[in-house]
Amino acid sequence: MSDVIVRVPTTVCVVEQPVSFAVVINRGEKGDPGSGGGGSVSLPSLLVAQSLSALRIVANLNGQYDYANPLDPIAAWSIAGISLQSINAGGLLTPVNNQPVSDQSWNWVRGSPVFLGPLGTLTQTPPSTGSLVTVARVLDPKTLFIHIEDAIRL
């Protein structure tokens, strides 16, 4: 009689068990004090596409600043900041963002956000069409904290 060799495939079954572990964090030395975060954003100086008024929201469109427009989705998503001075077509503008801006002619309502309006204007009335873009918060009736939020398509 001869031996018969039979090969039987082996099945491996893995059972995962929950593993608990602890992470030990050693406190290091105290670092240098920071600015507290939230500093102003340094924006590039670019040519303006047309003459622009002061205190308007501007967008970087094709490498030039122009008024942001809530009805134009590209402009609503390309907002850079606010112009602090009026400027003639072809001039250089450096808008600002993430900082307070004051104007004595303003009379904003505290507790209400400020939105992008037509031709880069500031308004506390939210638009009903186009894009909703919150561009500032009221610090006091004469001062806004400019902070551009993401556009919401309406």
Side-chain angles (χ1 to χ4, degrees), residues 50 56-61 66-79 116-121 127 129-133 135 151 153:
Q50 63 175 322
R56 299 280 187 102
I57 300 298
V58 296
N60 181 345
L61 300 170
D66 203 349
Y67 291 130
N69 182 352
L71 297 177
D72 177 352
I74 293 172
W77 280 95
S78 303
I79 295 175
L116 170 64
L119 296 174
T121 56
T129 61
S131 296
L132 175 73
V133 186
V135 295
R153 191 82 176 128

Side-chain angles (χ1 to χ4, degrees), residues 38-126:
S40 64
V41 174
S42 178
L43 297 169
S45 295
L46 297 175
L47 294 174
V48 297
Q50 63 175 322
S51 294
L52 301 177
S53 298
L55 304 174
R56 299 280 187 102
I57 300 298
V58 296
N60 181 345
L61 300 170
N62 300 315
Q64 293 184 324
Y65 290 124
D66 203 349
Y67 291 130
N69 182 352
L71 297 177
D72 177 352
I74 293 172
W77 280 95
S78 303
I79 295 175
I82 190 169
S83 61
L84 294 181
Q85 73 279 346
S86 42
I87 190 159
N88 292 324
L92 283 175
L93 174 68
T94 306
V96 298
N97 193 359
N98 288 337
Q99 68 182 53
V101 174
S102 297
D103 188 79
Q104 290 306 307
S105 69
W106 285 344
N107 192 24
W108 299 108
V109 176
R110 288 184 187 177
S112 297
V114 177
F115 304 102
L116 170 64
L119 296 174
T121 56
L122 301 168
T123 180
Q124 287 190 294
T125 304

Side-chain angles (χ1 to χ4, degrees), residues 5 10 19 28 30 53 62 95 102 121 126 138 151 154:
I5 299 175
T10 309
V19 177
K30 185 175 180 180
S53 298
N62 300 315
S102 297
T121 56
V138 178
L154 300 174

Side-chain angles (χ1 to χ4, degrees), residues 27-39:
R27 178 173 279 186
E29 293 180 32
K30 185 175 180 180
D32 294 329
S35 66

